[in-house]
Amino acid sequence: MFVRGIRGATTVERNDENEILSATTELLNQIIAENGIVPDELACVYITVTQDLTAAFPAKAIREQAGWELVPLMCSLEVPVEGSLPRCIRLMVMANTEKRQDEINHVYQKEAMRLRPDLSKLTKA
């Protein structure tokens, strides 16, 4: 068994609590669906947001999902590089799995698809 990192990112239109929580839930649900993971298989989820998102902790959306209460979560600020994608939420889901690296499905949604167009093309609709 290996610990594999599953990357995901999305964006929101506004710095709004409901929008941040909804986008985080949508992103996590797609990562789960595309990789067939369950909370008990996770080592942790590392979450970053750009500095323009201050209305909510995205981890709140994850903790509120049934079965996710014990998964270690950590929120942090993304490095504020000039010209970087605004209003962006990123997840690094660390999962225990038998899958090879090339079997992992990374998920990029909305404007975040620009971050990794090479991986976004692989993401299922």
Side-chain angles (χ1 to χ4, degrees):
M1 184 157 300
F2 303 97
V3 177
R4 300 285 190 210
I6 306 169
R7 300 231 8 219
T10 190
T11 55
V12 293
E13 292 292 320
R14 297 173 292 122
N15 181 29
D16 173 79
E17 179 179 14
N18 289 334
E19 195 169 340
I20 291 168
L21 298 178
S22 176
T24 302
T25 299
E26 180 182 343
L27 177 60
L28 182 67
N29 287 340
Q30 187 174 352
I31 290 171
I32 292 166
E34 292 202 19
N35 290 283
I37 56 176
V38 296
D40 198 45
E41 298 171 342
L42 300 181
C44 64
V45 179
Y46 187 64
I47 307 152
T48 66
V49 295
T50 49
Q51 293 188 344
D52 50 7
L53 295 181
T54 59
F57 290 107
K60 178 180 178 182
I62 298 171
R63 280 192 200 101
E64 291 178 348
Q65 294 198 40
W68 289 77
E69 303 86 355
L70 300 177
V71 174
L73 307 173
M74 176 70 69
C75 288
S76 181
L77 288 175
E78 190 66 36
V79 177
V81 175
E82 189 173 319
S84 62
L85 185 64
R87 296 177 307 280
C88 187
I89 302 163
R90 292 174 173 89
L91 302 181
M92 175 68 76
V93 178
M94 304 298 289
N96 297 299
T97 181
E98 295 293 334
K99 291 183 179 184
R100 298 183 320 265
Q101 287 283 20
D102 64 351
E103 295 176 307
I104 298 296
N105 293 307
H106 304 281
V107 177
Y108 291 85
Q109 300 174 333
K110 303 175 187 169
E111 292 299 314
M113 292 175 71
R114 297 186 327 201
L115 296 172
R116 290 296 304 266
D118 56 323
L119 296 178
S120 296
K121 292 175 188 169
L122 300 175
T123 302
K124 302 170 190 163

